[in-house]
Amino acid sequence: MAPSAHSNKDDLNLPPPKVSPGGSYDIEDVQAGCKLYVLRPGPNGMEERLAEILSRRDHHTAMNGMAVDSQPGSQYEYFVHWENFNKRLDEWISGARLLLSREMEWPRPKPPPGKGSQGKVPQKTQVSKAPKARKGTGGSATPAMPVQELKPPTFKLTQDDEDEDAEGEMDMSVDLEEPGSTRDSREPTPFFSKKQEIEKLRTSGSMTQSISEIARVKNLNRLQIGKHEVEAWYFSPYPKEYAHLPILYICEFCLSFYPSSFMLLRHRSKCNLLHPPGNEIYRDDDISFFEVDGRRQLTWCRNLSLISKCFLDHKTLYYDVQPFMYYIMTQRDSHGCHIIGYFSKEKESSENYNVACILTLPQHQRHGYGKLLIEFSYELSKKEGKLGSPEKPLSDLGLLGYRAYWAETILELLKNEEELSIDEIAQKTSITHADIMNTCTTLQLIKHFKGAHVICLTESVLEQHEKSIAKRKRKIKPENLQWRPPVFTREQLRFGY
């Protein structure tokens, strides 16, 4: 087993991680950070795959007191990351699937005391009111920093949306250490108060505050949303009382969540909501779009953000929904309007983003709804008379969806027009110049001809475009959009106060 590569400079001078041969360790020795081979279901039965252990829990805790399998190691469950697989496939497995007969790589040993930690403040050091200067690693004097105590994120889910001032500030300081790391000294992580978080949100976007959220261990197993039961992909900050339930039951209309089907049925007998709590601004066939204000529908939008966090790796903002408008795509039938997907949009974006977060629920993916959401966001940008682009970073599936939409839209326009400039394409599609240039470069449409760069369509590109167009079943009809860009006063844009 080859030792894994680490980018930390301090690790370059450390000895390689210890590797124990099979049979020299037992189930009790397996801890977070270890790498060993695990049985994984494959197309031809069970396969032996290398996996990293991220966390361990008692099996009876996960199964809520149900009988534990009698196989060796089944008293524990392990959360594993499969090497060379997407993170969304991380999962809890029974300890009986660990191959203790094969070699195991132990976590990298911690550095010797004092090495690589000059100038760092120990966690238990008390900082005086007037801190003295300390020596940094480069020998220059830098002020000492107070150490923040790491607390889990806390927030309220209450039906009283108007008493917003009663909510306390949320501690967004997050441990940046990898699971299983044994280093005992580290730099204090940045602390964001709610006021600072809102200011950062309004100036730099909503999806990039706490990138280490993606390292959190998945806490939900499955969600039941209406008649669909789906598996959660990532960690979502639901209250800890709901963590590790076999199934979390969610009302598909008001998005409230319950630990049992009986409680959900009792709620449905009282819940009279049959569509998202906003204005219907588009209707075509059985598809409708609703506009929901995050300030007016605080609890509903928070519940929506909690659901979306189960399927978006980079989404980190889920408690402060007031700065956003939410556009919900639904499918209508005799029972109501069922959510297919949504995108959120900042009320005031300094970067002219037209999408902050976009998601098609897993049970509705691969039906073309993602492109429909993207197309609708650009129709709103056309109504506003602005160029728009999605907020970065995009998820892997989001990036694929946007690339496909940009290519399809630009090629369709170029096919019907003999001569167009980049600026003319931008004005007709509301796609930014940078996104147009990136798309044309990716498709190799930009050629050098007589001392100038021109956009040239090839037969292979057109053939691929025709196949893509033939697959599309739905398109947004601009004449069905009944919407005017909302205008907000200064008081309405003072979020969180």
Side-chain angles (χ1 to χ4, degrees):
M1 181 183 299
S4 57
H6 291 259
S7 59
N8 195 323
K9 294 182 179 180
D10 293 339
D11 293 342
L12 297 178
N13 298 324
L14 296 176
K18 177 183 175 183
V19 178
S20 296
S24 62
Y25 59 93
D26 58 25
I27 192 72
E28 298 292 343
D29 297 325
V30 180
Q31 57 181 283
C34 292
K35 291 185 178 181
L36 73 164
Y37 284 88
V38 180
L39 291 176
R40 184 178 190 276
N44 299 319
M46 300 299 284
E47 303 174 343
E48 297 183 2
R49 293 285 184 175
L50 182 63
E52 180 181 0
I53 304 297
L54 302 183
S55 182
R56 184 178 80 171
R57 69 187 184 191
D58 293 336
H59 197 182
H60 74 272
T61 301
M63 300 303 292
N64 295 322
M66 293 175 60
V68 179
D69 193 355
S70 60
Q71 291 183 341
S74 59
Q75 68 270 30
Y76 298 119
E77 279 197 333
Y78 295 87
F79 190 73
V80 299
H81 169 67
W82 304 100
E83 290 288 310
N84 302 321
F85 281 80
N86 192 289
K87 185 181 181 296
R88 97 168 43 93
L89 299 178
D90 294 1
E91 60 179 329
W92 288 99
I93 64 167
S94 170
R97 289 167 58 181
L98 303 184
L99 295 177
L100 304 181
S101 60
R102 297 199 59 173
E103 67 273 14
M104 180 178 74
E105 178 184 309
W106 295 83
R108 185 172 289 270
K110 60 184 178 182
K115 183 176 180 180
S117 58
Q118 295 180 359
K120 294 183 179 180
V121 181
Q123 288 188 359
K124 296 184 179 180
T125 301
Q126 293 184 353
V127 181
S128 60
K129 292 184 179 178
K132 298 180 181 180
R134 59 180 173 87
K135 290 291 183 179
T137 55
S140 59
T142 56
M145 296 177 62
V147 179
Q148 298 288 347
E149 181 184 0
L150 296 179
K151 300 177 180 179
T154 57
F155 61 96
K156 288 183 180 180
L157 288 176
T158 173
Q159 296 298 326
D160 186 4
D161 293 348
E162 300 189 4
D163 190 14
E164 182 64 14
D165 293 334
E167 297 188 17
E169 292 183 349
M170 182 176 182
D171 188 353
M172 290 297 292
S173 55
V174 181
D175 187 356
L176 296 177
E177 288 291 309
E178 291 286 334
S181 174
T182 55
R183 292 197 298 173
D184 57 357
S185 61
R186 53 195 166 206
E187 290 285 351
T189 53
F191 172 82
F192 297 105
S193 67
K194 187 171 183 178
K195 182 177 180 180
Q196 292 171 327
E197 191 77 4
I198 295 169
E199 183 61 25
K200 185 176 179 65
L201 162 70
R202 297 180 65 185
T203 56
S204 8
S206 64
M207 298 172 65
T208 57
Q209 279 88 33
S210 303
I211 57 173
S212 57
E213 279 281 338
I214 62 177
R216 302 291 292 274
V217 173
K218 184 173 71 174
N219 59 337
L220 297 177
N221 296 317
R222 302 182 72 82
L223 309 176
Q224 181 174 312
I225 309 174
K227 62 182 180 180
H228 301 282
E229 187 175 309
V230 296
E231 185 173 348
W233 294 352
Y234 306 112
F235 169 86
S236 183
Y238 279 93
K240 62 181 180 180
E241 294 82 6
Y242 298 86
H244 309 306
L245 291 171
I247 300 177
L248 182 65
Y249 297 87
I250 297 176
C251 175
E252 62 176 329
F253 297 113
C254 72
L255 308 185
S256 299
F257 44 89
Y258 300 93
S260 69
S261 57
F262 172 77
M263 296 179 68
L264 176 64
L265 290 174
R266 187 173 62 181
H267 162 78
R268 286 301 307 148
S269 65
K270 303 174 184 178
C271 180
N272 55 9
L273 195 62
L274 296 177
H275 58 78
N279 297 323
E280 186 179 9
I281 60 175
Y282 179 89
R283 178 181 292 189
D284 178 42
D285 197 12
D286 60 341
I287 297 296
S288 291
F289 277 86
F290 290 82
E291 182 182 55
V292 180
D293 190 339
R295 186 184 183 96
R296 295 184 178 181
Q297 301 295 337
L298 192 64
T299 298
W300 193 92
C301 293
R302 281 182 174 174
N303 288 342
L304 178 64
S305 296
L306 287 173
I307 295 175
S308 63
K309 182 64 183 75
C310 292
F311 310 109
L312 293 175
D313 202 5
H314 291 84
K315 182 177 177 62
T316 61
L317 197 74
Y318 38 78
Y319 70 98
D320 200 351
V321 298
Q322 297 183 67
F324 298 95
M325 299 295 293
Y326 292 80
Y327 296 90
I328 319 298
M329 181 167 63
T330 65
Q331 190 170 34
R332 299 189 322 277
D333 61 17
S334 58
H335 300 288
C337 296
H338 310 276
I339 296 179
I340 295 175
Y342 83 100
F343 67 88
S344 59
K345 182 176 181 178
E346 290 179 284
K347 295 176 181 177
E348 183 183 40
S349 175
S350 59
E351 301 292 335
N352 284 331
Y353 291 130
N354 65 352
V355 166
C357 179
I358 186 169
L359 171 71
T360 303
L361 292 176
Q363 63 267 31
H364 299 294
Q365 291 179 2
R366 304 188 66 83
H367 290 88
Y369 292 125
K371 279 187 183 178
L372 207 62
L373 279 169
I374 296 172
E375 184 179 2
F376 189 80
S377 70
Y378 279 102
E379 286 299 329
L380 298 186
S381 295
K382 292 176 185 178
K383 283 273 189 176
E384 293 175 313
K386 299 178 181 178
L387 304 183
S389 182
E391 189 175 324
K392 314 303 187 296
L394 286 167
S395 65
D396 49 358
L397 296 180
L399 182 60
L400 292 175
Y402 267 97
R403 282 178 175 172
Y405 171 78
W406 290 333
E408 185 178 299
T409 303
I410 293 171
L411 290 175
E412 186 69 17
L413 190 62
L414 293 174
K415 187 182 69 172
N416 299 324
E417 300 283 347
E418 292 186 0
E419 188 174 335
L420 282 175
S421 66
I422 297 294
D423 187 62
E424 289 172 332
I425 296 175
Q427 296 302 321
K428 289 178 178 292
T429 63
S430 287
I431 303 174
T432 62
H433 298 78
D435 292 335
I436 294 173
M437 286 296 298
N438 289 336
T439 303
C440 292
T441 303
T442 302
L443 296 175
Q444 298 181 348
L445 301 182
I446 299 179
K447 309 293 182 182
H448 193 75
F449 180 72
K450 292 184 179 180
H453 289 89
V454 296
I455 299 176
C456 179
L457 297 181
T458 62
E459 291 295 333
S460 60
V461 170
L462 286 175
E463 182 180 351
Q464 186 66 31
H465 171 66
E466 294 297 335
K467 291 181 180 178
S468 176
I469 289 293
K471 293 179 182 178
R472 289 205 63 176
K473 300 178 181 178
R474 300 176 184 267
K475 294 198 70 174
I476 295 295
K477 299 177 181 178
E479 62 272 14
N480 291 357
L481 177 60
Q482 305 296 321
W483 181 79
R484 288 186 302 176
V487 179
F488 302 99
T489 64
R490 184 180 297 272
E491 290 296 323
Q492 291 173 326
L493 292 175
R494 295 181 68 228
F495 309 117
Y497 295 96

